[in-house]
Amino acid sequence: MGGSVGAVAGSEWRCLTVRGRVRGAAAEELGAQARLLGVPGVTRIERASLVFLRHGPRVDADGLVGTVLTDPLLHDASWDRSEEVEGGRVVETVLHAGVTDPVAQAVARGARLVGVTERLDVATGSRYEVYGNVSEADLDRLITRLLANPVVEHAARGRIEPHEAVGDSSGDVEPVTLTGLDDAGLDALSRRRGLALDPAELLAVQAHFAGVGREPTDVELEVLAQTWSEHCAHKTFRATLSWADGTPIPPLLRQLRDTTDAIAAPWVRSAFVDNAGIVAFDDRLDLAIKAETHNHPSAVEPFGGANTGVGGVLRDVLGVSAKPIAATDVLCFGPPDTDPATLPTGVLHPRRIRDGVIAGVADYGNKLGVPTVAGAIAYDPAYTANPLVFCGCVGVLPTGSHRSTPEVGDRVVVIGGRTGRDGIRGATFSSMTMDATTGEVAGASVQIGDPIVEKGVLDVVLAARDAGLYNAITDCGAGGLSSAVGEMAAVLGADVELDLVPRKYPGLAPWEAWLSEAQERMVLAVPGDRIGALRDVCDRYEVELADIGEFTGDRRLVVRNAGTPVVDLDVGFLHDGRPARRMTAARPTVPAAHGTRSVADPGGALLALLAHVNLRSNQDVVIGYDHEVLGGTVVRPYGGAAGDGPVDASVLAPGGGPEAAAIGIGVNTRYGALAAGRMAWSVVDEAIRNVVAVGADPDRIALLDNFSWGDPRRPETLGQLVQAVEGCCAAARAHGAPYVSGKDSLNNEYLGDDGLRHAIPPTLVIHALGIVPDLRQTVTSDAKAVGDVIFLVGRTLDELRGSHLDLVLGIDADGSVPGPDHDSPARYRRLHAAMRSGLVRAAHDLSEGGLAVAAAEMAIGGRLGLDLRIDGDPVVSLFSESNGRLLVEVAPDDAEGFVTAMGGDALRLGTVTAEPTLRVATAGPTIELPVADLVRAFAGHVPGVSA
């Protein structure tokens, strides 16, 4: 049993304090974070884990200490804990009642494995000992900003006890009166209940129930709000659109789907119709791919939000009957050195958000045993209150093994975790603008994951797939059972009983049980004669199964509570009754330029670029992710001579044959506000260029699109979104790369203390999944051999607006954002042919920072020098971020053949040298920097250097 649920008569909580034996660095890090938050008197903060046990007389708690609760080699443990410590202050934290406690659940499972059969309650917490000169006000700041998250935790000075979930609901269903409400009354109802419905949608709901002659129940209203939410219904992407002059705009989702249909790639198995896209891999296996966002939850509870973002996208891939084999993460934060005094009310410090998100990503993937192999991190002040967390997953499945059509009479089966109050209204919460009260009102919207439970669910699904035990499957994500069962029943209808849904604790209202987004649950359509076999599989992996109803064929969704219907909705109205939004877009206004672009010291500018938080190495983050588990990672996130050189894309070998899969990512958060269409083309081209650089076939690349935007009801914001979709479609058609899945996350804004809405930059993330025909011909970016020739392929133009050079110069000078290179698709095919012919030793794409940064990264990876000569304007030649370009290393004897293979589209720049120095001669100043200085800069250490 996990968590502090249920009492054991005659027993009290006992608390074990567990300390790591090596903890100096962690204490210093917490102290440094405290000083960053404006509490300079802190010298260090010691942290210990608390494990609370409550048990009967036959449980040997002392015996559990050295077997389940601690490792004697790593930990010190004591049943004694003092209220005070000499020279310090004590703060203890525990989770709120009802918040999932996966550590407690793991302890309870471990106790069962060593023979504990009697009732055992477990809860966990943390103890902090704060040393230094700390006032009461300082301690308050530390508690709310660093040591505890009020969204999910209680904190106390001194000792604390677990908070237990108790029954606080009668289980009654409330009718909601819509009759007679005018527009203002409907709007007030929507705001009061957090429904996030448009006025036209509220009127449609009112008219529907007037037509059937009754008021809706609270459960029905919540079901409609979830199903029609921006998060689930993608109503902006499905809206009827026009420009301000009346010119119609095709619906955005249709544009993306039409692009895939027009490309008509024969190797696409499934696109836009399931939890994840599916493409052919080889003659036996298919690959599934999906990327999701978990932005709002990560803003209020960084660890839990990111943790369940990973868990959710893994279940998306599992929801197409595929085994997850790799994860990705793209993260956008406010600057880590943000002055805490400037933070809006209720906003966590960006450094705390960053650390929590990274820990959440690592925790889920590492525990589940799925390698995190690709990603990116971007920083911008506009992400301070609205961090973005994109989680991706690739899975593998036998060709044709996914079944997706329920049949009349199939049972509605839920497997996995129990249902609790965590995750209530997550879909509608993610569809609203955040403000200073978000953390207070959204606590129930935060989910906490348990990857160990998910591992059992994964094993069950794969075994059930191979045994043919289900006709359809989906994950229980946003909207919980309401979404999962509702979508599976969209054609047939279903009749389910809420009393059969396993609960974490008593007291959930019917609407809470139906809408809860509690994690690690899957819903399956199972023929009645296979329930027993599925139950046997679940018992084998200790996964709970609940048969809660039936797919009926009457096209009604009926949900009962103790036999009484609390939902009775026509599935046609539920899924097709929402009135389409009508929206008008305005052509975006481009911000005025400021500053003059001048670089007197290009070497200093290069070092500043390499050290900037947006370009520097993220190896200190990646090292916390297990990217080797499963043993299929051919090209890792960093490589080269010292293992610290950046790679363009990761490569996996999931099938045991010569084929491999490359995963690349395109994202640029600086172009969108300047030219959203060009930004979209650029990130599509970058993602494709990344996988081509490691050996992927340009004719076998599938794409995912993930849009994170501000409020699209603002015409200019919608205009940027329209331009971005148009750029996405144009780039994909040019490259012949279809979209197979996607996601939009809108309303990423924060209502600040100034009363104004602050939006994120228009942010588009593109994943590219490419097939490498022969993993033995995989190419990496590190310089390989002295004497090799370095070529530039592609054209360099004066395209420096929005560049990272301008970022380090602190300007936004005039110029052009990088535009489409219509020759790049043919160029990439010629380059791939040269790779297949063995002509290419290394390749590296040019993106942020331009040629200078790419050359430096090749030198860092190989720990070799480069001696290059470039002509033309030095600033443009060195730092332009024009699309479609790569640096390519070729053996001297192959240089002429490479130029021929590229059709002359290859400019010889110089050679690889034994002397570890990057030398780039230009028409102006020459860059001449030791590779050791480049390595230090790329690690973020350039004392005294500025551009």
Side-chain angles (χ1 to χ4, degrees), residues 43-123:
T43 56
R44 73 183 194 280
I45 301 176
E46 301 274 1
R47 180 190 176 277
S49 297
L50 302 178
V51 182
F52 299 91
L53 300 179
R54 187 169 55 184
H55 54 83
R58 292 188 300 276
V59 175
D60 178 12
D62 292 322
L64 295 176
V65 173
T67 56
V68 174
L69 301 176
T70 67
D71 183 331
L73 294 177
L74 302 177
H75 305 117
D76 293 315
S78 171
W79 291 108
D80 298 320
R81 83 187 203 272
S82 60
E83 292 272 5
E84 300 178 351
V85 292
E86 184 177 350
R89 311 284 292 280
V90 174
V91 175
E92 292 186 351
T93 67
V94 293
L95 294 169
H96 290 322
V99 173
T100 300
D101 189 340
V103 178
Q105 293 174 348
V107 170
R109 282 193 294 267
R112 289 198 301 272
L113 290 174
V114 298
V116 175
T117 58
E118 190 176 354
R119 178 72 177 262
L120 174 68
D121 291 333
V122 187

Coordinates of all heavy atoms in Angstrom, one line a residue, residues 43-123:
T43 N 24.7 29.8 4.6 CA 26.0 29.2 4.3 C 25.8 27.9 3.7 O 26.5 27.5 2.7 CB 26.8 29.1 5.6 OG1 26.1 28.3 6.6 CG2 27.2 30.5 6.2
R44 N 24.9 27.1 4.2 CA 24.6 25.8 3.5 C 23.2 25.3 4.0 O 22.7 25.8 5.0 CB 25.7 24.7 3.9 CG 25.6 24.2 5.3 CD 26.8 23.2 5.5 NE 26.6 22.5 6.7 CZ 26.8 22.9 8.0 NH1 27.3 24.2 8.1 NH2 26.6 22.1 9.0
I45 N 22.6 24.4 3.3 CA 21.4 23.8 3.6 C 21.5 22.3 3.5 O 21.7 21.8 2.4 CB 20.2 24.3 2.7 CG1 20.1 25.8 2.8 CG2 18.9 23.6 3.1 CD1 19.0 26.4 1.9
E46 N 21.4 21.6 4.6 CA 21.5 20.1 4.6 C 20.1 19.6 4.4 O 19.1 20.0 5.0 CB 22.0 19.6 6.0 CG 23.4 20.1 6.3 CD 24.5 19.3 5.7 OE1 24.2 18.3 5.0 OE2 25.7 19.6 5.9
R47 N 20.0 18.5 3.6 CA 18.7 17.9 3.3 C 18.8 16.4 3.7 O 19.8 15.7 3.5 CB 18.3 18.0 1.8 CG 17.0 17.3 1.5 CD 16.7 17.2 0.1 NE 15.4 16.5 -0.2 CZ 15.3 15.1 -0.2 NH1 16.4 14.4 0.0 NH2 14.1 14.6 -0.4
A48 N 17.7 15.9 4.3 CA 17.6 14.5 4.7 C 16.2 14.1 4.2 O 15.2 14.9 4.1 CB 17.7 14.3 6.2
S49 N 16.0 12.8 4.0 CA 14.7 12.2 3.6 C 14.0 11.7 4.9 O 14.7 11.2 5.8 CB 14.9 11.1 2.6 OG 15.5 11.5 1.4
L50 N 12.7 11.9 4.9 CA 11.9 11.4 6.0 C 11.0 10.3 5.5 O 10.4 10.4 4.4 CB 11.0 12.5 6.6 CG 11.7 13.8 7.1 CD1 10.7 14.8 7.6 CD2 12.7 13.4 8.2
V51 N 11.0 9.2 6.2 CA 10.1 8.1 5.9 C 9.2 7.8 7.1 O 9.7 7.5 8.2 CB 10.9 6.8 5.5 CG1 9.9 5.7 5.1 CG2 11.8 7.1 4.3
F52 N 7.9 8.0 6.9 CA 6.9 7.8 8.0 C 6.3 6.4 7.8 O 5.8 6.1 6.7 CB 5.8 8.9 8.0 CG 6.3 10.3 8.1 CD1 6.7 11.1 7.0 CD2 6.4 10.9 9.4 CE1 7.2 12.4 7.2 CE2 6.9 12.2 9.6 CZ 7.3 12.9 8.5
L53 N 6.3 5.7 8.9 CA 5.7 4.4 8.9 C 4.6 4.3 10.0 O 4.8 4.8 11.1 CB 6.7 3.3 9.2 CG 7.9 3.2 8.2 CD1 8.8 2.0 8.6 CD2 7.4 2.9 6.8
R54 N 3.5 3.6 9.7 CA 2.5 3.3 10.7 C 2.1 1.9 10.5 O 1.7 1.5 9.4 CB 1.3 4.3 10.6 CG 0.3 4.1 11.7 CD -0.7 5.3 11.6 NE -1.3 5.4 10.3 CZ -2.2 6.4 10.0 NH1 -2.5 7.3 10.9 NH2 -2.8 6.5 8.8
H55 N 2.1 1.1 11.5 CA 2.0 -0.4 11.3 C 1.5 -1.1 12.5 O 1.5 -0.5 13.6 CB 3.4 -0.9 10.9 CG 4.5 -0.6 11.9 ND1 4.7 -1.4 13.0 CD2 5.4 0.3 11.9 CE1 5.7 -0.9 13.7 NE2 6.1 0.2 13.0
G56 N 1.1 -2.3 12.3 CA 0.7 -3.1 13.4 C 1.8 -3.8 14.2 O 3.0 -3.6 13.8
P57 N 1.5 -4.5 15.2 CA 2.6 -5.0 16.2 C 3.5 -6.0 15.5 O 4.6 -6.3 16.1 CB 1.8 -5.6 17.3 CG 0.4 -5.8 16.8 CD 0.2 -4.8 15.7
R58 N 3.1 -6.7 14.5 CA 3.9 -7.8 13.9 C 4.8 -7.3 12.8 O 5.6 -8.1 12.3 CB 3.0 -8.9 13.4 CG 2.2 -9.6 14.5 CD 1.4 -10.9 13.9 NE 0.5 -10.5 12.9 CZ -0.7 -10.1 13.1 NH1 -1.2 -10.0 14.4 NH2 -1.6 -9.8 12.1
V59 N 4.8 -6.0 12.5 CA 5.8 -5.5 11.5 C 7.1 -5.1 12.2 O 7.1 -4.3 13.2 CB 5.1 -4.3 10.8 CG1 6.2 -3.7 9.8 CG2 3.9 -4.7 10.0
D60 N 8.2 -5.6 11.7 CA 9.5 -5.3 12.3 C 10.1 -4.1 11.5 O 10.8 -4.3 10.5 CB 10.4 -6.5 12.2 CG 11.8 -6.2 12.7 OD1 12.0 -5.2 13.3 OD2 12.7 -7.1 12.4
A61 N 9.7 -2.9 12.0 CA 10.2 -1.7 11.3 C 11.7 -1.6 11.3 O 12.3 -1.1 10.3 CB 9.5 -0.5 11.9
D62 N 12.3 -2.0 12.4 CA 13.8 -1.9 12.5 C 14.4 -2.8 11.4 O 15.4 -2.4 10.9 CB 14.2 -2.2 13.9 CG 13.8 -1.2 14.9 OD1 13.8 0.0 14.6 OD2 13.4 -1.6 16.0
G63 N 13.8 -3.9 11.2 CA 14.3 -4.8 10.2 C 14.3 -4.3 8.8 O 15.0 -4.7 7.9
L64 N 13.3 -3.4 8.6 CA 13.2 -2.8 7.2 C 14.3 -1.8 6.9 O 14.5 -1.4 5.7 CB 11.8 -2.1 7.1 CG 10.6 -3.1 7.1 CD1 9.3 -2.2 7.1 CD2 10.6 -4.1 6.0
V65 N 14.9 -1.2 8.0 CA 15.8 -0.1 7.8 C 17.0 -0.5 6.9 O 17.3 0.2 5.9 CB 16.4 0.4 9.1 CG1 17.5 1.4 8.9 CG2 15.2 1.0 9.9
G66 N 17.6 -1.7 7.1 CA 18.7 -2.1 6.3 C 18.4 -2.9 5.1 O 19.3 -3.2 4.3
T67 N 17.1 -3.2 4.8 CA 16.8 -4.0 3.7 C 16.0 -3.2 2.6 O 16.2 -3.3 1.4 CB 15.9 -5.2 4.1 OG1 14.8 -4.7 4.9 CG2 16.8 -6.1 5.0
V68 N 15.0 -2.4 3.1 CA 14.1 -1.7 2.2 C 14.3 -0.2 2.2 O 14.3 0.5 1.2 CB 12.6 -2.0 2.5 CG1 11.7 -1.2 1.7 CG2 12.4 -3.5 2.3
L69 N 14.6 0.4 3.4 CA 14.6 1.8 3.6 C 15.9 2.5 3.3 O 15.9 3.7 2.9 CB 14.1 2.2 5.0 CG 12.7 1.7 5.4 CD1 12.4 2.0 6.8 CD2 11.6 2.3 4.4
T70 N 17.0 1.8 3.5 CA 18.3 2.4 3.3 C 19.3 1.4 2.7 O 19.0 0.1 2.8 CB 18.9 2.9 4.6 OG1 19.2 1.8 5.5 CG2 18.0 3.9 5.3
D71 N 20.3 1.9 2.2 CA 21.5 1.0 1.8 C 22.6 1.4 2.8 O 23.1 2.6 2.9 CB 22.0 1.4 0.4 CG 23.2 0.5 0.0 OD1 23.9 0.1 0.8 OD2 23.3 0.3 -1.2
P72 N 23.0 0.5 3.7 CA 23.9 0.8 4.8 C 25.3 1.4 4.3 O 25.9 2.1 5.0 CB 24.2 -0.5 5.5 CG 22.9 -1.3 5.1 CD 22.5 -0.9 3.8
L73 N 25.6 1.1 3.0 CA 26.9 1.7 2.5 C 26.7 3.1 2.1 O 27.7 3.9 2.0 CB 27.3 0.9 1.2 CG 27.7 -0.6 1.4 CD1 28.0 -1.2 0.1 CD2 28.9 -0.6 2.4
L74 N 25.5 3.6 1.8 CA 25.3 4.9 1.3 C 24.6 5.9 2.3 O 24.7 7.1 2.1 CB 24.4 4.9 0.0 CG 25.0 4.0 -1.1 CD1 24.0 4.0 -2.3 CD2 26.3 4.6 -1.6
H75 N 23.9 5.3 3.3 CA 23.0 6.1 4.1 C 23.3 5.9 5.6 O 23.7 4.9 6.0 CB 21.5 5.8 3.9 CG 21.1 5.9 2.5 ND1 20.7 4.8 1.7 CD2 21.0 6.9 1.6 CE1 20.4 5.2 0.5 NE2 20.6 6.5 0.4
D76 N 23.0 7.0 6.4 CA 22.9 6.9 7.8 C 21.4 7.1 8.1 O 20.7 7.9 7.5 CB 23.7 8.0 8.5 CG 25.2 7.8 8.3 OD1 25.6 6.6 8.5 OD2 25.9 8.8 8.0
A77 N 20.9 6.4 9.1 CA 19.5 6.5 9.4 C 19.2 6.5 10.9 O 20.0 5.9 11.7 CB 18.7 5.3 8.8
S78 N 18.2 7.2 11.3 CA 17.9 7.3 12.8 C 16.4 7.5 12.9 O 15.8 8.2 12.2 CB 18.7 8.5 13.4 OG 18.2 8.7 14.7
W79 N 15.9 6.9 14.0 CA 14.5 7.1 14.4 C 14.3 8.4 15.2 O 13.2 8.8 15.5 CB 13.9 5.9 15.2 CG 13.8 4.6 14.4 CD1 14.6 3.5 14.5 CD2 12.8 4.3 13.4 NE1 14.2 2.6 13.6 CE2 13.1 3.0 12.9 CE3 11.8 5.1 12.8 CZ2 12.3 2.4 11.9 CZ3 11.0 4.5 11.8 CH2 11.3 3.2 11.4
D80 N 15.4 9.0 15.6 CA 15.3 10.2 16.4 C 15.4 11.4 15.5 O 16.3 11.5 14.6 CB 16.4 10.2 17.4 CG 16.3 9.1 18.4 OD1 15.2 8.7 18.8 OD2 17.4 8.5 18.8
R81 N 14.6 12.4 15.7 CA 14.8 13.7 15.0 C 14.4 14.8 15.9 O 13.4 14.8 16.5 CB 14.0 13.7 13.7 CG 12.5 14.0 13.7 CD 11.9 13.8 12.3 NE 10.7 14.6 12.0 CZ 9.5 14.1 12.3 NH1 9.3 13.0 12.9 NH2 8.5 14.9 12.0
S82 N 15.3 15.8 15.9 CA 15.1 16.9 16.9 C 14.4 18.0 16.3 O 14.3 18.2 15.0 CB 16.5 17.4 17.3 OG 17.3 17.8 16.2
E83 N 13.8 18.8 17.1 CA 13.1 20.0 16.7 C 14.0 21.1 16.2 O 13.7 21.9 15.4 CB 12.2 20.6 17.8 CG 11.0 19.7 18.2 CD 9.8 20.1 17.3 OE1 9.9 20.9 16.4 OE2 8.7 19.5 17.6
E84 N 15.3 21.1 16.8 CA 16.2 22.1 16.5 C 17.6 21.5 16.2 O 17.9 20.4 16.6 CB 16.3 23.1 17.7 CG 15.0 23.8 18.0 CD 15.1 24.7 19.2 OE1 16.2 24.7 19.9 OE2 14.2 25.5 19.5
V85 N 18.4 22.3 15.6 CA 19.8 21.9 15.4 C 20.7 23.1 15.8 O 20.3 24.2 15.6 CB 20.1 21.5 13.9 CG1 19.4 20.2 13.6 CG2 19.8 22.6 12.9
E86 N 21.9 22.8 16.3 CA 22.7 23.9 16.7 C 23.2 24.7 15.5 O 23.7 24.1 14.6 CB 23.9 23.3 17.5 CG 24.9 24.3 18.1 CD 26.0 23.7 18.8 OE1 26.0 22.5 19.1 OE2 26.9 24.5 19.2
G87 N 23.0 26.0 15.6 CA 23.5 26.9 14.6 C 22.6 26.9 13.3 O 23.0 27.5 12.3
G88 N 21.5 26.3 13.4 CA 20.6 26.2 12.2 C 19.2 26.2 12.5 O 18.7 26.2 13.6
R89 N 18.4 26.2 11.4 CA 16.9 26.2 11.5 C 16.4 25.0 10.8 O 16.9 24.6 9.8 CB 16.3 27.5 10.9 CG 17.0 28.8 11.3 CD 16.5 29.2 12.7 NE 15.1 29.6 12.7 CZ 14.7 30.8 12.3 NH1 15.6 31.7 11.9 NH2 13.4 31.1 12.4
V90 N 15.3 24.4 11.3 CA 14.8 23.2 10.8 C 13.5 23.5 10.1 O 12.6 24.1 10.6 CB 14.5 22.1 11.9 CG1 13.8 20.9 11.3 CG2 15.8 21.7 12.5
V91 N 13.3 23.0 8.8 CA 12.1 23.0 8.1 C 11.8 21.6 7.6 O 12.7 20.9 7.0 CB 12.2 24.0 6.9 CG1 11.0 23.9 6.0 CG2 12.5 25.4 7.4
E92 N 10.6 21.1 7.8 CA 10.2 19.8 7.2 C 9.0 20.0 6.3 O 8.2 20.8 6.5 CB 9.9 18.9 8.4 CG 11.2 18.5 9.2 CD 10.9 17.4 10.2 OE1 9.7 17.0 10.5 OE2 11.9 16.9 10.8
T93 N 8.9 19.1 5.3 CA 7.9 19.1 4.3 C 7.3 17.7 4.2 O 8.0 16.7 4.3 CB 8.4 19.6 3.0 OG1 9.3 18.7 2.4 CG2 9.1 21.0 3.1
V94 N 6.0 17.7 3.9 CA 5.3 16.5 3.4 C 4.3 16.9 2.3 O 3.9 18.0 2.2 CB 4.5 15.8 4.6 CG1 5.4 15.3 5.7 CG2 3.5 16.8 5.2
L95 N 3.9 15.9 1.6 CA 2.9 16.1 0.5 C 1.6 16.4 1.0 O 1.2 15.9 2.1 CB 2.9 14.9 -0.4 CG 4.2 14.6 -1.2 CD1 4.1 13.3 -1.9 CD2 4.4 15.7 -2.2
H96 N 0.8 17.2 0.3 CA -0.6 17.4 0.6 C -1.4 16.1 0.6 O -1.0 15.1 -0.1 CB -1.3 18.3 -0.4 CG -0.8 19.7 -0.4 ND1 -0.6 20.4 0.8 CD2 -0.6 20.7 -1.4 CE1 -0.2 21.6 0.5 NE2 -0.2 21.8 -0.8
A97 N -2.5 16.0 1.3 CA -3.3 14.9 1.3 C -3.8 14.6 -0.1 O -4.2 15.5 -0.9 CB -4.5 15.1 2.2
G98 N -3.6 13.3 -0.6 CA -4.1 12.9 -1.9 C -3.1 13.0 -3.0 O -3.3 12.5 -4.1
V99 N -2.0 13.7 -2.8 CA -0.9 13.8 -3.8 C -0.2 12.5 -3.8 O 0.3 12.0 -2.8 CB 0.0 15.0 -3.5 CG1 1.2 15.0 -4.5 CG2 -0.7 16.3 -3.6
T100 N 0.0 11.9 -5.0 CA 0.6 10.7 -5.2 C 2.0 10.7 -4.6 O 2.8 11.6 -4.9 CB 0.7 10.3 -6.6 OG1 -0.7 10.1 -7.1 CG2 1.4 8.9 -6.8
D101 N 2.4 9.7 -3.8 CA 3.7 9.6 -3.2 C 4.4 8.3 -3.7 O 4.3 7.3 -3.1 CB 3.5 9.6 -1.7 CG 4.9 9.7 -0.9 OD1 5.9 9.5 -1.6 OD2 4.8 10.0 0.2
P102 N 5.1 8.4 -4.9 CA 5.6 7.2 -5.5 C 6.7 6.6 -4.7 O 6.9 5.4 -4.7 CB 6.2 7.7 -6.9 CG 6.3 9.2 -6.7 CD 5.3 9.6 -5.8
V103 N 7.5 7.4 -3.9 CA 8.5 6.8 -3.0 C 7.9 6.0 -2.0 O 8.3 4.8 -1.7 CB 9.4 7.9 -2.4 CG1 10.4 7.3 -1.5 CG2 10.1 8.7 -3.5
A104 N 6.8 6.5 -1.4 CA 6.1 5.7 -0.4 C 5.5 4.4 -1.0 O 5.6 3.3 -0.3 CB 4.9 6.5 0.2
Q105 N 5.0 4.5 -2.2 CA 4.5 3.3 -2.8 C 5.6 2.3 -3.1 O 5.5 1.0 -2.9 CB 3.8 3.6 -4.1 CG 2.6 4.4 -3.9 CD 1.9 4.9 -5.2 OE1 2.6 4.9 -6.3 NE2 0.7 5.4 -5.2
A106 N 6.8 2.8 -3.4 CA 8.0 1.9 -3.7 C 8.4 1.2 -2.3 O 8.7 0.0 -2.3 CB 9.1 2.6 -4.3
V107 N 8.4 1.9 -1.3 CA 8.7 1.4 0.0 C 7.7 0.3 0.4 O 8.1 -0.8 0.9 CB 8.7 2.5 1.1 CG1 8.8 1.8 2.5 CG2 9.9 3.4 0.9
A108 N 6.4 0.5 0.2 CA 5.4 -0.5 0.5 C 5.6 -1.7 -0.3 O 5.5 -2.9 0.2 CB 4.0 0.1 0.3
R109 N 5.9 -1.5 -1.6 CA 6.2 -2.7 -2.5 C 7.4 -3.5 -2.0 O 7.4 -4.7 -2.0 CB 6.4 -2.3 -3.9 CG 5.1 -1.9 -4.7 CD 5.3 -1.8 -6.2 NE 6.2 -0.7 -6.5 CZ 5.7 0.5 -6.8 NH1 4.4 0.7 -6.8 NH2 6.6 1.5 -7.1
G110 N 8.4 -2.8 -1.6 CA 9.6 -3.4 -1.1 C 9.3 -4.2 0.1 O 9.9 -5.3 0.3
A111 N 8.5 -3.6 1.0 CA 8.2 -4.3 2.3 C 7.4 -5.6 2.0 O 7.7 -6.7 2.6 CB 7.3 -3.4 3.2
R112 N 6.5 -5.6 1.0 CA 5.8 -6.9 0.6 C 6.8 -7.9 0.1 O 6.7 -9.1 0.4 CB 4.8 -6.6 -0.4 CG 3.6 -5.8 0.1 CD 2.4 -5.9 -0.8 NE 2.7 -5.4 -2.1 CZ 2.5 -4.1 -2.5 NH1 2.1 -3.2 -1.6 NH2 2.8 -3.8 -3.7
L113 N 7.8 -7.5 -0.7 CA 8.8 -8.4 -1.2 C 9.6 -9.1 -0.2 O 10.1 -10.2 -0.4 CB 9.7 -7.7 -2.2 CG 9.1 -7.2 -3.5 CD1 10.1 -6.4 -4.3 CD2 8.6 -8.4 -4.3
V114 N 9.8 -8.4 1.0 CA 10.6 -9.1 2.1 C 9.7 -9.7 3.1 O 10.1 -10.1 4.2 CB 11.6 -8.1 2.7 CG1 12.6 -7.5 1.7 CG2 10.8 -6.9 3.4
G115 N 8.4 -9.9 2.8 CA 7.6 -10.7 3.6 C 6.6 -10.0 4.5 O 5.9 -10.6 5.3
V116 N 6.5 -8.7 4.4 CA 5.5 -7.9 5.3 C 4.1 -8.1 4.7 O 3.8 -7.7 3.5 CB 5.8 -6.4 5.3 CG1 4.8 -5.7 6.1 CG2 7.2 -6.2 6.0
T117 N 3.2 -8.8 5.4 CA 1.9 -9.0 5.0 C 0.8 -8.2 5.7 O -0.3 -8.1 5.3 CB 1.6 -10.5 5.1 OG1 1.7 -10.9 6.5 CG2 2.5 -11.4 4.2
E118 N 1.2 -7.7 6.9 CA 0.3 -6.9 7.7 C 0.2 -5.5 7.1 O 1.1 -5.0 6.4 CB 0.8 -6.8 9.1 CG -0.3 -6.3 10.1 CD 0.2 -6.3 11.5 OE1 1.3 -6.9 11.8 OE2 -0.4 -5.7 12.4
R119 N -0.9 -4.8 7.4 CA -1.2 -3.5 6.9 C 0.0 -2.6 7.3 O 0.4 -2.5 8.4 CB -2.5 -2.9 7.5 CG -2.8 -1.5 7.2 CD -3.3 -1.4 5.7 NE -3.7 -0.1 5.4 CZ -4.9 0.4 5.4 NH1 -5.9 -0.4 5.7 NH2 -5.2 1.6 5.0
L120 N 0.5 -1.8 6.3 CA 1.6 -0.9 6.5 C 1.3 0.4 5.8 O 1.2 0.4 4.6 CB 2.9 -1.5 6.0 CG 4.2 -0.6 6.0 CD1 4.6 -0.3 7.5 CD2 5.3 -1.3 5.3
D121 N 1.2 1.5 6.5 CA 1.1 2.8 5.9 C 2.4 3.5 5.8 O 3.2 3.4 6.7 CB 0.1 3.7 6.7 CG -1.3 3.2 6.7 OD1 -1.7 2.5 5.7 OD2 -2.0 3.4 7.7
V122 N 2.6 4.1 4.6 CA 3.9 4.8 4.4 C 3.7 6.2 3.8 O 2.8 6.4 3.0 CB 4.8 4.0 3.4 CG1 6.2 4.6 3.3 CG2 4.9 2.5 3.8
A123 N 4.4 7.1 4.3 CA 4.4 8.5 3.7 C 5.9 9.0 3.7 O 6.7 8.5 4.5 CB 3.5 9.4 4.5

